[in-house]
Amino acid sequence: MKTPDKIVLEHAGALGDFLLAWPVFLSIIRQFPGVPVHGAVRPSLARFMAPLATPCPPGLRRALDARFAEAAWPEALARVLVVRPGLAVRPNLPPNDNFLFLHGVRPGSRESPRSLYRQALARTGIPFAADFQAVFQARFGRHAPAGNTVLLFPGAGHPDKCWPMDRFESLATRLRRNGLSPVFVLGPAEQERGLTPATGQTLVPPSLEALSAALCAARAVVGPDCGPLHLAGMHGVPGVALFGPTSPAQWGPDGLDIVTAGLTCAPCVALTAAAFAAACPRPLPCLAGIGPEAVWERLRLLLP
């Protein structure tokens, strides 16, 4: 691959998908030292791009937007390498040799996006940054527990990936009985959906920086297939991830233990961008069947 004049690291997804792609961005900047690099991601994710790339200048951002309206690649991007880790479908853009789209989902496969990204980079001759977690922790913080807090995450991007709240509350009771301090972490989606505990302490982080700080200070975390658990894994925080309709082999956070209900029908989806498991009752049996005692027993073994 020729050395470009500039590089744009682009991502349109939410926190979990972005963190799965973060090693790609680290790999790219190592491949092209000295080349100016710009980031084009959601504003909330910009802090995790700051050590790797500067924000896109307005003119470059306009050229990126113009790709979707023109039949040819804009001239302003002629010598710009645009790297976009995605999932199953390439954006509907004109073909261009300087557009490196990396598929994170392969139809019929449960292989993880990170593994598929590694393979895609290898095909271009770019080494994968295998030390990405150590680099992330050096720049954004690592696990340094302070106190007895266990963070509980009741929400997820798709509501059908959530463990029932009554199971969470039962787990919180067990934690308190064992001298731990459960704290429910709520974001805007959880508050809008009414995913709040009847009793107990809650935390509403005002930013991802605040969420990172809370994660690093916690003893452990528990939650479903969701972005904050991927962030916990990147920081090296131990915990338990609860999986039902999605595949832990495909979407499991780094370093966290996985607990499932053990149903033969699960996992049943590769992507959760739309409705799924239409014939199943709600909450889904593959999540409702996970007992709080089983989660506590797994968590107890992980507590530092």
Side-chain angles (χ1 to χ4, degrees), residues 21-74:
W22 197 85
V24 171
F25 301 142
L26 180 60
S27 303
I28 293 294
I29 67 167
R30 286 178 171 175
Q31 180 69 12
F32 300 104
V35 176
V37 183
H38 305 292
V41 299
R42 293 184 177 189
S44 61
L45 302 174
R47 75 175 297 263
F48 296 126
M49 292 295 286
L52 307 180
T54 60
C56 268
L60 192 55
R61 174 65 81 168
R62 286 193 294 271
L64 291 171
D65 293 341
R67 295 172 299 168
F68 293 90
E70 298 181 8
W73 208 253

Side-chain angles (χ1 to χ4, degrees), residues 210-223:
L211 176 59
S212 282
L215 286 167
C216 289
R219 289 279 300 278
V221 299
V222 178

Side-chain angles (χ1 to χ4, degrees), residues 4-288:
D5 291 346
K6 298 176 185 176
I7 298 170
V8 173
L9 305 177
E10 185 177 44
H11 197 275
L15 177 61
D17 294 337
F18 169 80
L19 291 172
L20 287 168
W22 197 85
V24 171
F25 301 142
L26 180 60
S27 303
I28 293 294
I29 67 167
R30 286 178 171 175
Q31 180 69 12
F32 300 104
V35 176
V37 183
H38 305 292
V41 299
R42 293 184 177 189
S44 61
L45 302 174
R47 75 175 297 263
F48 296 126
M49 292 295 286
L52 307 180
T54 60
C56 268
L60 192 55
R61 174 65 81 168
R62 286 193 294 271
L64 291 171
D65 293 341
R67 295 172 299 168
F68 293 90
E70 298 181 8
W73 208 253
E75 184 61 30
L77 299 175
R79 291 279 299 164
V80 179
L81 173 63
V82 180
V83 181
R84 183 176 179 131
L87 291 180
V89 180
R90 180 189 184 277
N92 186 20
L93 293 170
N96 188 281
D97 291 340
N98 283 336
F99 182 46
L100 181 57
F101 180 79
L102 301 143
H103 289 275
V105 172
R106 179 183 295 159
S109 170
R110 300 292 188 193
E111 200 163 0
S112 72
R114 190 163 286 155
S115 174
L116 294 175
Y117 294 151
R118 181 195 291 261
Q119 295 170 39
L121 288 176
R123 288 193 291 271
T124 68
I126 298 175
F128 184 80
D131 62 339
F132 67 88
Q133 191 175 38
V135 174
F136 187 92
Q137 291 176 17
R139 296 182 177 183
F140 302 112
R142 56 177 54 88
H143 189 219
N148 288 320
T149 299
V150 175
L151 298 181
L152 306 178
F153 292 86
H158 196 292
D160 283 337
K161 294 195 294 184
C162 299
W163 200 36
M165 181 58 78
D166 65 326
R167 311 295 199 276
F168 264 117
E169 292 179 321
S170 179
L171 175 63
T173 298
R174 284 170 169 79
L175 294 173
R176 284 189 285 267
R177 287 174 181 167
N178 287 274
L180 298 163
S181 300
V183 176
F184 288 86
V185 184
L186 309 175
E190 288 73 59
Q191 297 177 80
E192 290 173 7
R193 295 173 187 166
L195 286 178
T196 56
T199 60
Q201 186 178 352
T202 60
L203 172 67
V204 182
S207 65
L208 283 179
E209 185 175 9
L211 176 59
S212 282
L215 286 167
C216 289
R219 289 279 300 278
V221 299
V222 178
D225 175 8
C226 66
L229 260 65
H230 283 281
L231 183 56
M234 291 288 278
H235 284 303
V237 182
V240 175
L242 312 170
F243 271 72
T246 53
S247 168
Q250 185 177 19
W251 300 109
D254 285 325
L256 272 70
D257 274 30
I258 304 295
V259 173
T260 73
L263 300 186
T264 57
C265 59
C268 63
V269 296
L271 291 170
T272 55
F276 55 91
C280 285
R282 265 50 179 183
L284 293 177
C286 54
L287 283 165

